[in-house]
């Protein structure tokens, strides 16, 4: 089983995917083997933003583009 962490900008919280991602909202994969590592990565990439509208426009666009159709890169 591979654990993957992601920040969901629609739900405003950390998601943990044990296998396949189950969330169909706007989320971003995070680096880290633990929840703490993932939150550190989230802070480095996205600062204090909890929801999508709190990100700069370019980051919003990139995130929406990557999550369109349920895919993540």
């Amino acid at each position: 089983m591979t654990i993957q962490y992601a920040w969901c900008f629609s739900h405003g919280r950390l998601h943990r995917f044990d296998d396949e991602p189950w969330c169909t909202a706007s989320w971003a994969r995070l680096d880290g083997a633990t929840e703490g590592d993932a939150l550190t990565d989230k802070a480095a990439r996205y600062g204090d933003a909890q929801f999508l509208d709190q990100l700069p426009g370019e980051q919003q666009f990139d995130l929406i583009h990557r999550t369109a159709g349920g895919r993540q890169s």
Side-chain angles (χ1 to χ4, degrees):
M1 175 186 325
T2 301
I3 296 172
Q4 177 69 50
Y5 292 97
W7 186 264
C8 181
F9 287 99
S10 295
H11 297 118
R13 63 187 205 96
L14 187 70
H15 285 340
R16 174 186 163 147
F17 303 131
D18 292 326
D19 284 311
E20 290 298 314
W22 44 262
C23 181
T24 59
S26 296
W27 51 270
R29 288 186 195 273
L30 299 171
D31 293 333
T34 67
E35 183 174 315
D37 292 343
L39 289 172
T40 297
D41 185 44
K42 186 266 179 193
R45 290 192 212 186
Y46 304 107
D48 292 334
Q50 184 176 359
F51 296 100
L52 189 64
D53 66 342
Q54 296 170 326
L55 293 173
E58 186 173 321
Q59 278 187 312
Q60 288 182 37
F61 177 80
D62 289 344
L63 188 63
I64 291 168
H65 182 0
R66 278 186 291 149
T67 58
R71 65 178 194 278
Q72 274 281 318
S73 52

